[in-house]
Every structure is written in C-alpha cells, then in structure tokens.
Amino acid sequence: MRKLFAILALGCSLCMVACSSGGKTVTRIDENSTTDLSGKWNDTDSRLVADEMISGCLGSTKIEKIIGEMGRTPTVVIGKIRNKSHEHISVETFIKDMERALLNSGAVDFVANSAERAELREEVRDQQGNATEETSKELHQETGADWMLTGTINTIVDQEGGQSVIFYQVDLELTDLQSHKKLWMGDKKIKKFISKDSVKL
C-alpha cells in the first residue's frame, strides 16, 4: 500500500511539473515603457519617432514663419505613409501616433484622411431626409486642408551569423496642397544591433 501511495505521489508531482513548465507568465507593464524583445520596429519606435518628427516639423523656423504669415491656424491632413521596409509595420499605428502629436501640439488643426472622409460623407448623406432638420449636417461644408504630410519607412539589414544590424529611416514631407511646394522635409534614423543564436528576419 505504501508503494502505491509513493507511486501516485510521484506521478502527481511529475504531472504538476510538466503542466507548469508549459504555462505562461503575464506581467503588466507601463504602456510608455521602452521594450525591445525582437529588435524589430515596435510601439516604442512608433511613438518616439512620431513625437520627435512632428515636434521638429512644427518647431522649424520656416514653418513657424509661414504660420505667422498666414495669420490663422493651418489645417493638416496625413496622406500615405508607405512601408518600404523588409518588415510588416503597422503604419496605421504610426499614423495615429502622428495624429495625436499634431493635435496635442495646438499649432495646427487636423482633418480626417481620405478613407475616414469617405465614411463621414456617407453618414452625412444618410442624414439627409432621415435626421431632423435641426440636427442634420449639410453636404459640401467640409474644412479643406492646407498642408499634407506624407512619408516612407525604409530599412537596411546587415546580417552575419547570429548577429545583425537593422537600420530604419523614416522620411516625412509637408507639402502645400495649393501650390504643391514642399514646406518641410525631415528624417529620423534608428539603428539596432541584435545578437542571438538564430536571427529570423
């Protein structure tokens, strides 16, 4: 009987070890903390690049001078941000980070992009004849943007064995929609060194 209990106890212990070894440990961290597990583009890169580049754009001497000469707050729309890198990068998250930086700056007004405007126009059209006259919004009353912000994300990868260097370059341009003059051009570079036994890019 003792042997039977001993065998059962050993079996339970092994089962507990086996079950626990395949489990996961989840720890909540500050969403603004800097984390870099894989070395690839992440939320920290997106947020920091957006904040730095928007601040650099709106704080440039030329843009400050143009805003002063306009005598009013310019309106900006974000155009296409093209991912030309070797990675899958959530461009939508990067755009949202730039939208937040633009709005929080207080230096410019901001309007919805082309995809968002199409949805908004559909809603306004639906209101015609369906919503009350007092609350129905009118067509052709949109605020036109003065400037458009566009850009690209590129990468260069240098890899040898278990080591690699990933070079990111984000280029942004601010263009006047009326004259098509380029008002500002900026870039942000990030270089990451990754060392591990097996690197998958």
Side-chain angles (χ1 to χ4, degrees):
M1 184 63 71
R2 290 181 179 177
K3 289 184 178 180
L4 178 60
F5 279 123
I7 293 172
L8 289 174
L10 178 60
C12 289
S13 299
L14 292 174
C15 180
M16 291 175 65
V17 171
C19 292
S20 62
S21 64
K24 293 182 179 179
T25 300
V26 178
T27 304
R28 291 185 181 274
I29 60 176
D30 186 345
E31 67 274 12
N32 293 317
S33 62
T34 301
T35 54
D36 219 331
L37 299 179
S38 66
K40 296 182 180 180
W41 177 276
N42 58 32
D43 63 309
T44 299
D45 298 316
S46 177
R47 183 179 69 255
L48 295 180
V49 170
D51 287 345
E52 183 175 327
M53 295 196 75
I54 294 301
S55 176
C57 171
L58 299 179
S60 69
T61 303
K62 182 176 182 180
I63 295 302
E64 288 182 339
K65 180 181 178 181
I66 294 174
I67 292 177
E69 292 173 348
M70 290 176 70
R72 62 178 178 83
T73 303
T75 303
V76 179
V77 63
I78 295 183
K80 290 185 177 180
I81 305 296
R82 294 177 173 84
N83 176 23
K84 295 185 176 181
S85 74
H86 71 290
E87 294 179 15
H88 169 71
I89 291 178
S90 177
V91 174
E92 292 79 9
T93 301
F94 182 51
I95 289 175
K96 287 300 178 185
D97 284 334
M98 288 194 293
E99 290 178 354
R100 174 188 47 76
L102 283 168
L103 283 173
N104 291 345
S105 72
V108 297
D109 288 329
F110 181 77
V111 293
N113 61 36
S114 58
E116 294 168 332
R117 289 198 303 272
E119 185 176 358
L120 292 168
R121 287 168 184 161
E122 182 61 33
E123 171 60 25
V124 174
R125 281 192 291 268
D126 186 67
Q127 289 184 10
Q128 311 306 307
N130 292 315
T132 63
E133 185 176 348
E134 293 78 12
T135 61
S136 178
K137 305 304 178 288
E138 298 180 17
L139 293 166
H140 312 298
Q141 297 297 316
E142 301 174 18
T143 298
D146 299 298
W147 303 337
M148 176 177 280
L149 188 67
T150 57
T152 58
I153 303 174
N154 286 283
T155 53
I156 298 175
V157 180
D158 185 15
Q159 180 175 329
E160 179 65 32
Q163 297 182 330
S164 63
V165 174
I166 305 178
F167 174 79
Y168 296 89
Q169 179 163 325
V170 181
D171 294 283
L172 296 180
E173 297 181 358
L174 188 66
T175 306
D176 185 284
L177 284 170
Q178 183 64 56
S179 65
H180 293 185
K181 288 183 179 179
K182 294 186 184 298
L183 306 178
W184 172 86
M185 297 177 69
D187 65 80
K188 172 64 179 176
K189 299 177 176 67
I190 299 173
K191 183 179 285 188
K192 298 184 180 185
F193 173 75
I194 305 167
S195 179
K196 55 184 179 179
D197 295 334
S198 178
V199 179
K200 295 181 180 179
L201 300 174

